[in-house]
Amino acid sequence: DAGITQSPRHKVTETGTPVTLRCHQTENHRYMYWYRQDPGHGLRLIHYSYGVKDTDKGEVSDGYSVSRSKTEDFLLTLESATSSQTSVYFCAIRTGRDTEAFFGQGTRLTVV
Amino acid sequence: EDQVTQSPEALRLQEGESSSLNCSYTVSGLRGLFWYRQDPGKGPEFLFTLYSAGEEKEKERLKATLTKKESFLHITAPKPEDSATYLCAVPSNSGYALNFGKGTSLLVTP
């Protein structure tokens, strides 16, 4: 298994509270990604990083921010959680732009 | 705009009944097409990478093929343990983003 750890694995939070999800890799891969997965929508890209401090938006970035201060860590923050952000969040890593991605086990987030 | 479309959305097969899943894409310069399997409650698991039209990859009962506009995942004589959601993904034109189709949910019954 690729060395990817997501934390927490499960979280329940209240509407309006900030939430940070962490993705940690031991593979030293350059590219890291955050996706959300919802029934009927598949995997949708939230943000990605192509190096330390280098990030960009995906198709569903509104309400989310990211940071990458070290190669191994990629943080996803919901500044003020809403019920529409209830989802399963996956982190992924890649070595290059022509290569496959490897995924973490996911974080199930429920916003009540 | 880059787009990845998978069909059918769901497929039910009897054990031993072969079939194919489709993944069509519209990215202009293909940097690879990737197939994944996802079991409930787990992250996607990488299966195959295809780079060029005509390329084929095989693993047990699965064979992936690629043309200029689409890829097929052929499942030969499936077993119940092949039941899962199968996803395909294509990098964006820049290669930085990786875009997924919505997947095909496969159920193989005994």
Side-chain angles (χ1 to χ4, degrees):
Chain A
D1 289 346
I4 308 168
T5 304
Q6 291 187 231
S7 59
R9 293 293 312 280
H10 302 272
K11 186 172 182 66
V12 179
T13 192
E14 293 186 350
T15 299
T17 61
V19 177
T20 295
L21 308 183
R22 181 184 185 229
C23 178
H24 177 79
Q25 62 149 329
T26 58
E27 307 295 322
N28 200 36
H29 284 4
R30 178 181 175 186
Y31 299 88
M32 298 186 75
Y33 300 80
W34 278 108
Y35 290 88
R36 62 178 289 175
Q37 189 172 40
D38 305 287
H41 291 278
L43 278 165
R44 291 182 291 173
L45 183 62
I46 306 172
H47 281 280
Y48 60 94
S49 169
Y50 47 95
V52 173
K53 295 189 179 1
D54 292 322
T55 64
D56 205 348
K57 297 177 180 180
E59 67 171 299
V60 290
S61 59
D62 287 348
Y64 301 95
S65 62
V66 290
S67 66
R68 191 172 179 196
S69 59
K70 299 185 291 185
T71 298
E72 57 266 34
D73 289 325
F74 192 32
L75 304 180
L76 177 71
T77 297
L78 291 66
E79 302 291 348
S80 177
T82 67
S83 58
S84 65
Q85 293 175 313
T86 292
S87 186
V88 180
Y89 291 86
F90 287 102
C91 173
I93 62 175
R94 292 167 84 195
T95 55
R97 290 185 285 164
D98 300 341
T99 63
E100 65 275 10
F102 295 96
F103 283 80
Q105 289 301 300
T107 295
R108 182 173 295 277
L109 176 68
T110 302
V111 183
V112 298
Chain B
E1 183 176 323
D2 301 343
Q3 188 169 2
V4 184
T5 304
Q6 291 188 245
S7 62
E9 289 185 16
L11 182 63
R12 183 180 180 124
L13 300 173
Q14 291 271 15
E15 186 173 2
E17 178 186 3
S18 301
S19 188
S20 297
L21 314 181
N22 178 264
C23 172
S24 63
Y25 58 92
T26 58
V27 63
S28 56
L30 188 65
R31 290 176 170 268
L33 184 142
F34 312 108
W35 281 100
Y36 291 83
R37 169 189 172 127
Q38 186 175 24
D39 293 301
K42 296 190 175 182
E45 175 188 351
F46 170 69
L47 292 172
F48 303 111
T49 302
L50 301 166
Y51 286 110
S52 304
E55 188 175 0
E56 298 182 353
K57 293 277 180 73
E58 283 190 70
K59 180 180 180 179
E60 296 181 352
R61 296 174 292 282
L62 300 177
K63 183 170 78 172
T65 62
L66 182 66
T67 70
K68 287 187 177 180
K69 289 299 179 187
E70 59 189 349
S71 177
F72 293 92
L73 185 65
H74 307 279
I75 304 176
T76 301
K79 297 182 177 181
E81 52 261 44
D82 294 322
S83 298
T85 296
Y86 291 86
L87 302 165
C88 72
V90 172
S92 61
N93 282 328
S94 70
Y96 290 115
L98 186 61
N99 299 314
F100 282 79
K102 293 182 179 180
T104 294
S105 177
L106 174 66
L107 176 64
V108 182
T109 58

